[in-house]
């Protein structure tokens, strides 16, 4: 990613944000000391009208999300280099300082080339949120309610999908372990083979 947009990628992914939520963040929504971003609004694109700023997609969409510490240095640098000092200054904008449009973003950052360069050709921007949701659902001790809150969902349906996928993955691990155990049981014991060779086993008695 161009340096200007690296923080956008990290915050969207590890904060489990929607595109409209991420580009609507303002300086007053970012707390670098606490390591959080506050989602209280979102942009919706309307062709012919422009970007409309309004409430999040759902009631649960209004939330405060903690970011992993690994993402904070990049966000801090971004805040210093690319964000105005006013509390209402938008965090993620284009080179001109104008708000970003989803339809123009791929071309702006040469997205197809970028994702191919890191080995995931075909990755879409909304897949970043999916990645964040998957990682969140794997966190030890994370409850269904915790995942719903982080994702900004009123309904548990989406969170259950991620949890179900993780249960399937866990079952796959258990099945692999089971196969390894069965394979080990089928192998002859080295100790018994050695004893027979030394004349301590039934074959020696028969002689």
């Amino acid at each position: 990613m161009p340096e200007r947009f690296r923080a956008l990628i990290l915050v969207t992914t590890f904060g489990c944000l929607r595109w409209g939520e991420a580009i609507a963040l303002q300086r007053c929504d970012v707390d670098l000391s606490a390591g959080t971003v506050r989602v209280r609004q979102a942009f919706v694109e309307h062709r012919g009208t422009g970007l409309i700023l309004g409430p999040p997609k759902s009631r649960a969409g209004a939330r405060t999300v903690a970011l992993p510490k690994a993402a904070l240095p990049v966000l801090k640098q971004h805040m210093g280099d690319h964000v105005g000092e006013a509390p209402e200054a938008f965090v993620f904008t284009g080179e001109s300082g104008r708000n970003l449009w989803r339809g123009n973003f791929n071309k702006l950052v040469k997205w197809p080339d970028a994702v191919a360069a890191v080995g995931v050709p075909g990755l879409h921007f909304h897949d970043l949120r999916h990645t964040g949701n998957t990682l969140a659902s794997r966190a030890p001790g994370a409850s269904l309610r915790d995942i719903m809150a982080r994702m900004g969902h009123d309904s548990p349906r989406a969170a259950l999908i991620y949890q179900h996928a993780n249960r399937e993955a866990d079952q796959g691990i258990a099945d692999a372990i089971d196969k390894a155990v069965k394979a080990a049981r089928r192998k002859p014991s080295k100790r018994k083979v050695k004893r027979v060779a030394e004349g301590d086993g039934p074959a020696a008695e028969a002689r």
Side-chain angles (χ1 to χ4, degrees), residues 34-203:
T36 62
V37 292
R38 176 181 55 169
V39 179
R40 57 187 175 85
Q41 56 192 6
F43 271 119
V44 178
E45 296 182 12
H46 287 280
R47 291 293 176 185
T49 304
L51 291 172
I52 307 299
L53 188 63
K57 188 175 180 180
S58 66
R59 232 177 3 174
R63 63 203 189 277
T64 297
V65 181
L67 298 174
K69 292 180 180 178
L72 296 180
V74 176
L75 179 57
K76 183 178 180 179
Q77 184 70 38
H78 176 87
M79 296 293 289
D81 293 346
H82 304 295
V83 185
E85 293 298 326
E88 65 273 15
F90 286 100
V91 176
F92 302 117
T93 59
E95 295 288 348
S96 65
R98 300 180 66 180
N99 295 111
L100 296 168
W101 278 73
R102 179 68 193 93
N104 298 335
F105 184 73
N106 282 7
K107 184 177 180 181
L108 179 66
V109 300
K110 300 180 180 177
W111 183 265
D113 295 338
V115 295
V118 295
V120 283
L123 185 81
H124 299 286
F125 190 92
H126 66 257
D127 293 329
L128 302 179
R129 172 172 157 82
H130 172 78
T131 298
N133 291 340
T134 301
L135 293 172
S137 68
R138 291 175 180 171
S143 68
L144 178 62
R145 181 61 61 181
D146 295 332
I147 299 168
M148 286 173 58
R150 190 170 183 85
M151 292 169 59
H153 277 282
D154 284 316
S155 166
R157 182 174 175 273
L160 281 170
I161 290 172
Y162 287 103
Q163 286 200 328
H164 178 69
N166 287 331
R167 283 197 298 272
E168 288 185 342
D170 188 59
Q171 185 58 54
I173 293 170
D175 291 344
I177 294 171
D178 186 57
K179 288 180 180 179
V181 171
K182 289 179 178 177
R185 285 177 174 170
R186 286 195 295 267
K187 291 180 180 179
S189 169
K190 291 182 179 179
R191 185 176 180 182
K192 288 181 179 178
V193 170
K194 184 178 180 181
R195 280 166 48 191
V196 169
E198 292 175 349
D200 294 333

Side-chain angles (χ1 to χ4, degrees), residues 17-40:
L17 302 188
R18 301 175 178 91
W19 165 265
E21 295 172 343
I23 63 169
L25 291 174
Q26 294 174 289
R27 176 174 280 278
C28 61
D29 298 317
V30 178
D31 187 336
L32 291 172
S33 298
T36 62
V37 292
R38 176 181 55 169
V39 179
R40 57 187 175 85

